[in-house]
Amino acid sequence: MDSECLVLLPRVCAVLADPRQSLPDDTSLEKLLDWFTGLTKEDHGLALLESCPCLVDYISTACLDKTTDPSMLSFSLKLSGLLAASQHGFNLLQDRSILGVAYDSERWQVAGQWEDPSVRIGWIHGLSNMMRHTQAFHFLDQAGLTKPLLQLQTDPSLFVASAANHLLARLLTFHQPATTSHTTQGNGLTVPPNKEEVELDVTMETSPGSGCSITMEILKHLESSLESDSHTQVLQGLRLLALTLPELEAPLRGSVIRRVLRSLEGLVREGAVAQPLMDVLLATYRSGPCDSRLVSLMASMLNSQNPSDAALCAAATLHPETCPPGLRQKIVAVLLGPLQMVTGVTLLDWPNDRHTDEQTDHRHTDQQTDHRHTDEDHRQTDEDHRHTDQQTDHRHTGQQTDNRQTDQQTDNRQTDQDRQTEGRSSLSLLLHHLNHKPSCVSLLCVSVSSAPYITDMDSSASVILAVVSLLRICNGHSPSPESKAAIGCSKASTNLIGCSKVQRCCLDSLASLSTCPGAVERVAEVFHVLVQNLQNPDSDPTVLQKNYQAMLRWLRVSAEPHSLADLVTEDLLPVLKKRVCDVRWEVRDSTLEFLGQLCEALSCTVTPILLEALCDQESYVRASAISALARTLPLSDQQGEPGNQTQEQILGQLLDILSQDSEGFPRRAVVQFFISWLKTHPSSSSSSLCSVLSLGSTDLDWEVKVHTLELVELLMEETLPGHQESELGSTPPPYGGSGGTNLLTHTDLTHPYAVTPSQPSPLLTHTPTDTHTPLTHTHPTTSVVCGLSRLVELGVITALFNGLFDCDRPVALKACSLLLRLRDAVCPSRSLGKGAMTTDDTTVAKVTFDLRVRFGSGRSRGSYRRREDLIGLKSPGK
């Protein structure tokens, strides 16, 4: 195809170069450019230039003509950069003097073409395409193209400005000096080699021809942009930093940080561009070891005047493992502060009056100690008059020392007072934000979502209690009246009542906190608040679903799950019975799903509730009820329930759903139920299985038919128990194991529904001629014949051929694979020569299945003949 297109390329170039033939849009040009891009990736465009010299002629014609259409000019610039990406193409275009003309921005400005954004972005993309080798970098330097590129950084078109920023970032990282050694402190802090940074600055200033002049020009422009009064320039400078810093290496990285650090500190104090500045810091923080100067800047960012910005920054910097301890302590304070203030649970040590009083008491004690020392000096003077002068000198020295200590204590007290004042002002600002609903919800969601990641052995129980208290507040309960920390947040508590967003965050956080060390201490409290949350009639369906998920996680926390049996029986089950009758189908659906999981967790059954839900008007709810019933099958056998009458009632209702339900979801669930039922009830009723296979194989929903074939596969594995050993030479692992070979796909996987008992199921290998013969004395050939007869009686063969001729591809492929598997089990001598057992035609003929009666004549018979050759089976009389 490419060779045929290359033959047509000269005529295409002639059409493109003809100004009289204009294209309706530039879509075809973009597709043509994509094709060129794919060709140049294979051999860097060498074969393209050699076989199609018309491309160079076209570019020369389009770029020399000042009246070229803007879209055609943009296409030509991009194409020239693509061809110049290789040194051969670059030299070829340079020899024709094309690049200098094509990328002369002043020329296009004079011609009036520069006003079109497509020309500007084509100019940038062309330079970006060719920036693959040093020659292109020096061309950009010598042609003075850095200046117009820096001007395009603040272009009115956002696409042009973004493309210019990405190209500038590539230029900064293109000509980096060799990576030098640097020292690293603990916790991932990098100490920059300042001496090497200074030497690099000198090199960039004094060696304009070494490629460093472009770097220096961009850095100076970056400094001026960050100090500019123009918001656009500051914004674009920060975006350039966010793109560049993660890719820079020492010493250039340290040099860039040192140049922009003062400007960044000023922007942090102003707080005008919080989000772009945060992007810069986080991009650097996540890209590797963090510079100590940036860590200080991030700490300043956490002291932002806007608590919401500080919380977002803290949550973003929390997860990396290289977080320094000092910064992590500040992050924890920012994140847990809103939670403590609203709930009143003590999570942090905040400045208070009691701390000030303790400092005052210490100062009084120090003064009393000084007085005692003075009295001792006087007594010493009276006892020994010969050393009066010497003692006087010592007293003067002691007084001077006391004065210095007093001055130092005064300075320390002043510093403590400043910190307390700053802490109280930040708390007042936080309280102000919490009393406004939008900012309160935002702060608490960030705080609660981050709580599982900042808990430790000592604080986990307190954090769990705080999240539980917040969930109670959302349900309408007021905070603890004796809590001092919650004073002043009454308005915040009112705004949180019924807030589903905060409730969802609390429930997700509780589910994660179930693995914390202090979770065992809070099981009862958590379970009580989760039950209360279910009793709230105004709870959102998504909140209830997350409530169920959290409840399951906390049921596993208790060392003795049966200790919660009374709470489940007396409080939880009555609420669940009401929720099953909720007017919202989403609530009924999630409740039934939870009931099935609850039965597994506590080994109990709620069959009557699930049976009533089988008649629900919503198909999703009926399907969930059937799935929940499937989960209770092993439990019913252990507890001796339900009885035969209840079991027949369940099977009858399920078969009615499979035959009469108009929706596909319940019918799929019914077939999956019987798959689980067959695994737990090997002596199951064959009439029910026959009905399921008959109805499921002719269902209109293709997923029902696929599930029916999965049931067929399980029946085959139980009915023909010897073919795995003959195929593999060894017994496959039990269900859930690994390392077995699935004969269906010939891959090392065990089918999830596969059951490999030590002996075949008595029901499935039953022979009408001899019912008392032990299976261990049955000849392998006789066992295969009995198994095949049983499969025919159950309708397995009919289901397989129904699926083989199905119009849905997944069904036909599944049925064909199972028939191949059946062939390998029945006739191993015909299946690639594997296995030692052989079966002659006389033995196979004992099991008959009249395909002519089933499929009739005409198209079906012709289709059968074609697929018969594929699977290697032949019908009687053929």
Side-chain angles (χ1 to χ4, degrees), residues 331-341 347-348 350 447 451 454 463:
I331 289 172
V332 171
V334 171
L335 291 176
L336 294 184
L339 189 59
Q340 173 171 330
M341 183 168 284
L347 304 173
L348 302 168
W350 278 343
S447 178
I454 55 182
V463 172

Side-chain angles (χ1 to χ4, degrees), residues 639-871:
Q639 300 176 5
E641 294 179 358
N644 293 333
Q645 185 176 1
T646 306
Q647 186 176 11
E648 293 177 359
Q649 179 185 359
I650 294 175
L651 298 180
Q653 285 186 313
L654 293 180
L655 290 176
D656 290 341
I657 292 175
L658 184 59
S659 61
Q660 301 176 10
D661 203 301
S662 60
E663 298 291 338
F665 295 103
R667 300 200 304 273
R668 297 172 197 168
V670 168
V671 181
Q672 290 175 323
F673 171 89
F674 276 94
I675 291 174
S676 301
W677 181 58
L678 184 59
K679 289 163 56 179
T680 56
H681 297 74
S683 59
S684 54
S685 173
S686 59
S687 60
S688 299
L689 291 175
C690 291
S691 301
V692 173
L693 294 177
S694 176
L695 294 170
S697 61
T698 57
D699 197 274
L700 298 178
D701 187 272
W702 72 270
E703 291 190 50
V704 174
K705 290 179 282 191
V706 168
H707 291 319
T708 303
L709 291 176
E710 292 174 357
L711 180 61
V712 166
E713 182 180 9
L714 182 58
L715 287 170
M716 288 172 53
E717 291 176 350
E718 290 192 344
T719 308
L720 305 173
H723 73 279
Q724 289 98 337
E725 289 82 352
S726 63
E727 182 77 6
L728 297 174
S730 61
T731 303
Y735 171 70
S738 59
T741 300
N742 186 350
L743 299 180
L744 175 63
T745 58
H746 299 283
T747 57
D748 293 337
L749 293 173
T750 300
H751 194 274
Y753 299 128
V755 177
T756 56
S758 58
Q759 290 184 350
S761 172
L763 173 67
L764 298 179
T765 57
H766 170 74
T767 57
T769 57
D770 188 4
T771 58
H772 301 288
T773 303
L775 293 174
T776 54
H777 298 287
T778 303
H779 191 272
T781 303
T782 306
S783 177
V784 172
V785 172
C786 296
L788 285 173
S789 300
R790 186 60 183 164
L791 292 179
V792 173
E793 293 176 6
L794 290 173
V796 168
I797 307 299
T798 303
L800 285 174
F801 280 101
N802 284 338
L804 184 65
F805 295 97
D806 196 85
C807 59
D808 290 308
R809 180 178 175 83
V811 180
L813 288 176
K814 180 77 171 178
C816 186
S817 299
L818 290 176
L819 283 169
L820 289 172
R821 182 176 180 177
L822 183 61
R823 182 198 65 179
D824 295 345
V826 175
C827 307
S829 60
R830 302 178 184 179
S831 58
L832 303 178
K834 292 184 178 181
M837 184 180 68
T838 58
T839 307
D840 55 12
D841 294 338
T842 304
T843 303
V844 175
K846 292 180 180 180
V847 181
T848 59
F849 183 78
D850 195 347
L851 297 176
R852 290 170 296 181
V853 175
R854 170 64 184 84
F855 295 106
S857 59
R859 182 181 62 84
S860 298
R861 182 177 297 178
S863 301
Y864 167 71
R865 285 171 180 163
R866 290 192 295 272
R867 302 198 185 193
E868 169 190 87
D869 297 335
L870 172 64
I871 63 176

